[in-house]
Amino acid sequence: AQSVTQLDSQVPVFEEAPVELRCNYSSSVSVYLFWYVQYPNQGLQLLLKYLSGSTLVKGINGFEAEFNKSQTSFHLRKPSVHISDTAEYFCAVRETSGSRLTFGEGTQLTVNP
Amino acid sequence: DAGVIQSPRHEVTEMGQEVTLRCKPISGHDYLFWYRQTMMRGLELLIYFNNNVPIDDSGMPEDRFSAKMPNASFSTLKIQPSEPRDSAVYFCASSLWQGSGELFFGEGSRLTVL
């Protein structure tokens, strides 16, 4: 069975600082990996995804993530955050042969002025 | 496309009442998922359908919960009778099997059971 662990429940940063949100997964088979963002009182939106190929994936709003198979990680990064990036971020994994998406517990990113 | 549409957006009800949440998936999507989100448990998958057929309902908390998908454009999640611990935000999401199967979420239905 697949599982996802987001290592930080809350990450406070100052505006224009870099940020990394950490995600580790567990699966015995090959997987697809995703990061979703949830703004207050809204549903989840896809930020980026890794399917295959280049391990560095670029998403919307200047975010990127790197797939590291040996460390089973898929950390999300942004070199300079904005106040508007304040939201909850979810890492998710799905086995390539499956249809069930498993989410991590979420990381609340708070960007302070 | 209008995206995944859920109704109602907010529901406040008394304990013991029946609650029905509705979802219209994106046209052409063949998977539909119901999730529940709470502070304590995060995002939990309740049930999902493929081509209107329930595939996995192992996440449904108990017999008070039921879900149906009578056709490709409509699904309901029903709670009867409702209890205060059912208070949560319920999300519907849909996807296509082809490719990554990216999920598209609705804006959620916030349920408060008093």
Side-chain angles (χ1 to χ4, degrees), chain B residues 70-90:
Chain B
N71 57 62
S73 58
F74 184 65
S75 176
T76 59
L77 178 67
K78 188 173 291 188
I79 309 172
Q80 166 64 21
S82 58
E83 297 182 3
R85 61 193 167 121
D86 302 331
S87 297
V89 181
Y90 291 82

Side-chain angles (χ1 to χ4, degrees), chain A residues 32 34 49 51 94 96 98, chain B residues 96-102:
Chain A
Y32 298 137
F34 305 81
K49 60 187 176 186
L51 305 182
R94 201 200 87 183
T96 57
Chain B
L96 276 173
W97 169 248
Q98 288 83 359
S100 69
E102 170 192 342

Side-chain angles (χ1 to χ4, degrees), chain A residues 6 8 18 21 26-28 30 38-39 43 54 62-63 88 93 105:
Chain A
Q6 292 183 240
D8 306 293
L21 307 184
S26 173
S27 176
S28 57
S30 59
Q38 184 180 28
Y39 298 103
S54 173
F63 284 92
E88 186 145 25
V93 62
E105 303 87 350

